[in-house]
Amino acid sequence: MNPPPLDRTSPPQLTNAWRELAATLADGVRVRVLRAVCGDRRAAAELVPRLTDRQATGLDPLPTDPAELAPSLLRERRAQIRTLPDSTRLLLLLAAADQYPVPTDAFLRAVMAARLDTRSLDAAEAAGIAHAGAGGVVFRDAWTRIAAYETGSPADRRDVHRLLARVLGGAGETPWRSWHRGAGAPGPSGRLAAELGTAARKAATAGQLNLARALTERAAALCPEPSEQARLLTRAAGYAWRAGDGERARRLAAAGSEDALTGVLALRAGNAGEAFDALVSAAARVGGAGPGAGGAGSFGAEGAGIGAVDGGESAAGGAGAALVPGEGGPGPGSPTTDGRAGWSAAVSAEADPGAVPRPADAVPGGGTPPSAADSDGGLPASPVAEGEDRSRPTGVAADRASLSTVRTSPGPAAASAGPAPVASAAVVAPAPAPAPAPSAALTAPPAPLAAVVAIPALAPSGAKATPSAPAAAVVSPASAPRAAVATPAPTPPGVTPAPTTSATVTPLSPAPATHLLARATEAAIYTGDLRRLREAARVADRLGVVSPGTLGGLVAAFEGRYEDARELLEAAAGRCGPGGDPTVLIHAGIAALLLGDHTRAATATLRAAASARARGTPVTVPQAMEFRAYADFWTGRPRAGEAAAADALWQAHATGQDNGACHLQAALAMFSALTGDVDLCHERAASARSYALARGLGLPAALAQWALAYLDLSSGRFAAAAARLRALAGFGPGHGHRAIRHLAAPHYVEAAVRTGDTRVARVAHADYHRWASAVRSPDDLALSARCRALLAPAAEAVDHYRVALDLHSQGTRDFERARTELLFGSTLRRLRRRTEARDRLHSALEAFDSFGAPHCAAQARSELRALGTPAGPTRTGPDTPAGRLTAQQLLVARMAAEGATNREIADRLALSPRTIDHHLRGVFSRLGIRSRIELVRLIAEVDESEGGTTG
């Protein structure tokens, strides 16, 4: 609903202040600060000095309360709104309540129901605060909307929420109606907390995780039981995390101590070793709990909030039917509101329980009824600032007197129909129905860990994945699927209880433990401590669950059982069909990478990202892109891969996944090594290693080390490359990674041979060849043949190179094929087989030029010059601007040509301003220009030529 902040919200001096302050923040914190303040640099400049040292370094979460983010800016906005007429402020309050934090799109219906005059918005438009749009009110910025809400008194806020709840009676609008009912409550209510919990589970099932989080938070605020309140907050943390709101998730998680939630948060933003311990502990506890226990039993019930429909949701949903009218509208025979009732009539039924009999107002089961105190029933995240004047009458209070006649005088339609209850009350009070027992949704432990890790069961090896399979109790067909865990609602007076039937309950599925073991596997992969995988495998055996394919495959590989590892990894890699669960697809991608099947790895990871977006879980997207980067690198797509990884890096920072961002930073260092950007490669590798070593992340630390070694190798610094790769082989968990050491083995062999250290080269090749023979990947076998050629005498090497190239033709590692041709051509030159050597070197040069790998291309040109043959034309000629720039330089140049400042480019790419300055200097130097005006012209020419070629 709201446009981006206008320029006038961030004066130049404050924008400059933000630029200076941003340089003191870690990359991820800088991105999240801008996201928290809705991109307003004035608010960002106000927030940064208020951060603690731990918040500024990312160790503690940022504030989420608007009053803590930009108090001065909010005071200014509130002062502006208080100058408006009461009727205008009423409309702004109604619009703000309709938009945040849960957009409900009910403003126009509420205006019609209360017969409010929208011409009052003219004053807000004249003041530049807001204006009327096609769908409602458009505020100047997010801070104005928040201020509009906060200037209303608590009673007025409750009234507008109740009005919005009245008009949300359409099919499928129950969760939004429940939100406003909860926001309009004056105090704790077990009945409303149960209703909100039910609505949250339905919203989560539909993939609306932000809505589910808001509903669960409000349920916690209304819950009268402290222990249950903590469980609800932890569940809300799970929803927030999966929705991509890492800062709020970490703050909510502080209210509980759930191992699964702690493990997931540590996996993505903390110490991966600690994450492994927490996840394995949670798996052992959940898997060991029997049916109905607080672990597995409640996990199954809460799973409905994420995917499958089961007992917990049905029970609460059935209870909610006694509170909420049918989603299609009022029941048969119930009078409907005709939209002519005024403001007071629209809110009077809930404010005055005596207006119409409402048996549901009594809280059964000993619950605490709504408090009569005038507590703030509005948004918990938007408190009125301390010291603000609340005594001044607002629009709602001022309009009550003029609208009171509508409350007592029936309209023409009502008069002709004879005596009838108040029309608006019919929307709130349907025909008498059983009231819910709070215990139906509150007394049973909800096991909030399910909100974090509840995903469809990972299929056993060789089985087909079933993303929609519920991990819950199975009941007999005669009863509803959720009846097994439902608590019967009390029978209203005068109603004969229906006979009850007992449902046969089967043991709960062990899927929750499988999910947790999948996360523990990821933690072990990040640390590089593959020995820990044995512990996870032992837990799986003890619980009697089928472990994820990657877990068993990695354990088998670590133990040297390569044939077993191949079978297990093949089964895991085979689960990459479209529309599958994102976690299953990510594991399929990892397995395919280990098998050397980069086409299937790219497919699985791309489908994982698409599935995560479709399911409303953006937090999973960057993780999928982390492993896609490997496939892009190997298959020779550095430009596309670098751009995708840079975008995923920003997403990882924005969602609070700094561990994933570290992995992506290391992948970007690898792309920089390939494209020959020395300075950027060193900067990215240093940043990744610094972060990784502090948190025990062996995978990104090893990848960054490999990137530096590859840069040395492609630049002809063989001794330096051999030293780095030798050190990589000696690094233990937390500093290195066995899988990276294995992938880098062909490069290690090449560097060692070039430096005369053939002994260690033969040892490295022997283990690599054994794995390649087991997995039977054409690319791995080709690289093994290349290693054998490097270790053989020149005359014997020719046959090995021919075998390697034949195998490369069956694989997908186009970049490594070009490198094999370069080495083959160099060997042929030394054997004085000039014609064949020239053909091989020209083919390699053409490939390197197309990949944008200048250092490798320079080696090919050097070999051609040694033959006395001039280098042939490259695919991207020197007169093409795009051909002169690296992928990163071209990306920066495009953003600069679009008018972005260096700081804005740095924020978007999660790089330092110094790096952007370096890139632009390189762009200007390579293109031979001196101004951004010339850059705009050249980029426009590039786009035009590319468009013409494409068309």
Side-chain angles (χ1 to χ4, degrees):
M1 287 293 294
N2 300 308
L6 303 181
D7 291 340
R8 65 169 177 262
T9 64
S10 298
Q13 64 272 19
L14 290 174
T15 299
N16 294 335
W18 156 245
R19 291 177 180 175
E20 296 174 1
L21 292 168
T24 65
L25 301 175
D27 289 341
V29 177
R30 183 172 66 248
V31 172
R32 291 193 290 276
V33 162
L34 282 175
R35 190 186 189 200
V37 299
C38 306
D40 192 327
R41 283 166 171 74
R42 175 180 176 181
E46 183 179 350
L47 171 61
V48 172
R50 301 169 59 88
L51 298 178
T52 66
D53 291 340
R54 290 180 59 85
Q55 288 174 328
T57 55
L59 296 176
D60 285 346
L62 298 175
T64 55
D65 189 335
E68 297 179 24
L69 293 171
S72 299
L73 185 59
L74 276 176
R75 280 196 298 270
E76 177 185 313
R77 294 290 191 268
R78 284 194 292 264
Q80 293 173 357
I81 291 174
R82 286 197 182 92
T83 63
L84 299 174
D86 287 345
S87 57
T88 304
R89 292 170 57 195
L90 167 61
L91 288 170
L92 295 180
L93 172 60
L94 180 62
D98 179 52
Q99 294 179 22
Y100 181 83
V102 176
T104 53
D105 300 322
F107 173 77
L108 296 179
R109 283 181 280 171
V111 166
M112 294 177 63
R115 301 182 64 185
L116 298 177
D117 188 353
T118 57
R119 288 176 295 182
S120 299
L121 287 174
D122 293 344
E125 185 171 0
I129 291 175
H131 65 273
V137 174
V138 179
F139 288 94
R140 175 174 58 185
D141 54 36
W143 304 105
T144 302
R145 179 194 60 209
I146 294 169
Y149 185 85
E150 290 185 345
T151 51
S153 69
D156 290 345
R157 283 185 250 172
R158 289 195 294 271
D159 284 344
V160 297
H161 282 296
R162 289 167 182 156
L163 172 60
L164 290 165
R166 297 297 187 282
V167 300
L168 285 167
E173 291 184 328
T174 299
W176 292 271
R177 182 176 187 276
S178 296
W179 159 255
H180 285 296
R181 282 171 54 81
S189 168
R191 176 175 59 86
L192 279 176
E195 178 183 338
L196 288 164
T198 300
R201 285 186 285 273
K202 290 182 179 178
T205 302
Q208 298 161 330
L209 294 174
N210 278 316
L211 174 59
R213 188 271 308 162
L215 289 164
T216 308
E217 268 197 86
R218 190 58 185 161
L222 295 176
C223 182
E225 299 179 18
S227 60
E228 184 61 30
Q229 187 178 60
R231 294 189 185 98
L232 288 168
L233 288 174
T234 307
R235 188 190 305 170
Y239 289 140
W241 174 254
R242 296 178 64 234
D245 193 348
E247 301 302 299
R248 187 178 295 273
R250 291 168 66 191
R251 283 192 166 273
L252 290 170
S257 58
E258 179 57 57
D259 281 346
L261 179 58
T262 301
V264 170
L265 295 179
L267 171 63
R268 305 302 294 163
N271 186 283
E274 296 174 1
F276 179 89
D277 294 339
L279 290 165
V280 170
S281 173
R285 189 186 71 254
V286 171
S298 52
F299 189 107
E302 181 53 20
I306 308 300
V309 176
D310 63 9
E313 184 180 352
S314 182
L323 303 172
V324 185
E327 293 188 6
S334 298
T336 58
T337 179
D338 60 3
R340 292 175 295 179
W343 171 271
S344 300
V347 299
S348 61
E350 183 112 4
D352 182 11
V356 62
R358 295 195 56 195
D361 279 347
V363 181
T368 305
S371 172
D374 191 23
S375 60
D376 188 352
L379 302 182
S382 301
V384 177
E386 185 176 357
E388 297 285 351
D389 181 13
R390 299 192 183 190
S391 59
R392 181 169 180 250
T394 63
V396 179
D399 284 353
R400 274 198 170 129
S402 60
L403 294 173
S404 60
T405 56
V406 181
R407 189 174 183 180
T408 56
S409 302
S416 62
V422 177
S424 61
V427 181
V428 183
S439 59
L442 293 177
T443 57
L449 60 91
V452 186
V453 295
I455 54 175
L458 295 171
S461 300
K464 183 178 179 181
T466 55
S468 60
V474 179
V475 300
S476 64
S479 59
R482 295 165 288 191
V485 295
T487 300
T491 306
V495 178
T496 302
T500 58
T501 58
S502 58
T504 302
V505 183
T506 63
L508 288 165
S509 166
T514 306
H515 303 327
L516 292 167
L517 289 172
R519 301 299 186 202
T521 301
E522 295 165 16
I525 291 173
Y526 275 117
T527 61
D529 190 356
L530 301 184
R531 291 179 179 84
R532 279 186 152 171
L533 291 171
R534 288 176 172 172
E535 179 184 348
R538 285 194 296 268
V539 171
D541 292 340
R542 186 168 69 250
L543 298 178
V545 302
V546 178
S547 60
T550 46
L551 173 58
L554 285 169
V555 170
F558 176 75
E559 294 175 346
R561 297 183 286 109
Y562 288 166
E563 291 292 340
D564 293 342
R566 179 182 60 81
E567 293 179 4
L568 291 167
L569 292 173
E570 278 286 357
R575 304 184 196 116
C576 61
D581 179 81
T583 296
V584 175
L585 289 167
I586 289 173
H587 280 250
I590 294 172
L593 285 173
L594 293 171
L595 292 168
D597 190 344
H598 302 99
T599 299
R600 188 155 54 170
T603 300
T605 50
L606 286 173
R607 285 175 174 171
S611 178
R613 294 187 187 98
R615 294 171 183 230
T617 56
V619 72
T620 312
V621 174
Q623 186 182 6
M625 303 309 290
E626 292 174 42
F627 295 100
R628 176 198 165 176
Y630 289 89
D632 286 337
F633 176 82
W634 285 118
T635 53
R637 295 194 296 268
R639 294 179 185 273
E642 188 173 22
D647 186 66
L649 175 65
W650 183 89
Q651 294 180 58
H653 280 319
T655 53
Q657 302 183 78
D658 287 342
N659 288 358
C662 175
H663 191 194
L664 287 161
Q665 191 77 272
L668 286 167
M670 200 71 183
F671 283 118
S672 298
L674 189 151
T675 56
D677 199 327
V678 178
D679 293 341
L680 188 58
C681 179
H682 280 277
E683 179 182 343
R684 284 172 164 168
S687 175
R689 282 188 61 80
S690 174
Y691 181 95
L693 295 178
R695 289 166 175 78
L697 302 174
L699 179 60
L703 183 58
Q705 179 81 351
W706 185 18
L708 295 173
Y710 187 83
L711 180 65
D712 290 333
L713 183 66
S714 61
S715 302
R717 298 187 294 271
F718 303 114
R724 291 188 190 278
L725 292 171
R726 191 178 303 113
L728 175 61
F731 288 152
H735 294 75
H737 201 284
R738 183 167 179 174
I740 296 297
R741 183 181 67 187
H742 167 79
L743 292 173
H747 295 159
Y748 186 22
V749 170
E750 180 182 348
V753 168
R754 294 296 189 100
T755 57
D757 193 355
T758 57
R759 184 184 62 82
V760 296
R762 292 183 188 281
V763 173
H765 170 248
D767 187 65
Y768 186 86
H769 177 70
R770 184 168 169 245
W771 172 258
S773 300
V775 300
R776 298 191 287 274
S777 162
D779 285 312
D780 287 327
L781 289 170
L783 291 174
S784 177
R786 187 176 86 186
C787 291
R788 187 175 289 109
L790 286 166
L791 291 166
E796 298 178 14
V798 172
D799 291 337
H800 294 308
Y801 276 124
R802 294 191 192 283
V803 170
L805 289 174
D806 287 343
L807 289 166
H808 273 309
S809 66
Q810 305 171 37
T812 58
R813 294 192 189 181
D814 295 336
F815 191 85
E816 286 302 316
R817 173 177 179 163
R819 189 149 192 89
T820 299
E821 286 191 306
L822 171 63
L823 294 171
F824 189 18
S826 177
T827 299
L828 291 170
R829 179 186 63 78
R830 292 194 300 274
L831 292 172
R832 300 182 183 280
R833 299 168 67 166
R834 298 172 58 84
T835 301
E836 189 176 2
R838 183 172 57 249
D839 291 343
R840 293 297 179 188
L841 291 172
H842 273 305
S843 177
L845 175 60
E846 183 180 1
F848 290 138
D849 280 336
S850 69
F851 297 147
H855 288 184
C856 293
Q859 288 181 341
R861 288 191 175 91
S862 177
E863 292 287 344
L864 285 169
R865 283 195 298 271
L867 277 173
T869 303
T874 60
R875 183 172 298 182
T876 54
D879 293 332
T880 304
R884 305 178 207 168
L885 304 178
T886 67
Q888 189 76 356
Q889 285 176 332
L890 184 60
L891 182 62
V892 171
R894 288 186 184 279
M895 298 179 72
E898 292 171 357
T901 65
N902 289 10
R903 168 57 63 184
E904 290 169 342
I905 299 173
D907 291 341
R908 185 67 182 86
L909 299 182
L911 297 173
S912 67
R914 180 172 59 83
T915 300
I916 301 303
D917 292 339
H918 163 75
H919 276 313
L920 285 177
R921 283 196 301 271
V923 168
F924 280 34
S925 174
R926 293 192 181 194
L927 298 182
I929 59 178
R930 296 184 177 181
S931 70
R932 290 201 177 204
I933 295 176
E934 295 178 84
L935 178 63
V936 172
R937 176 180 57 79
L938 283 174
I939 294 299
E941 291 175 359
V942 170
D943 292 340
E944 184 178 353
S945 64
E946 289 180 352
T949 303
T950 304

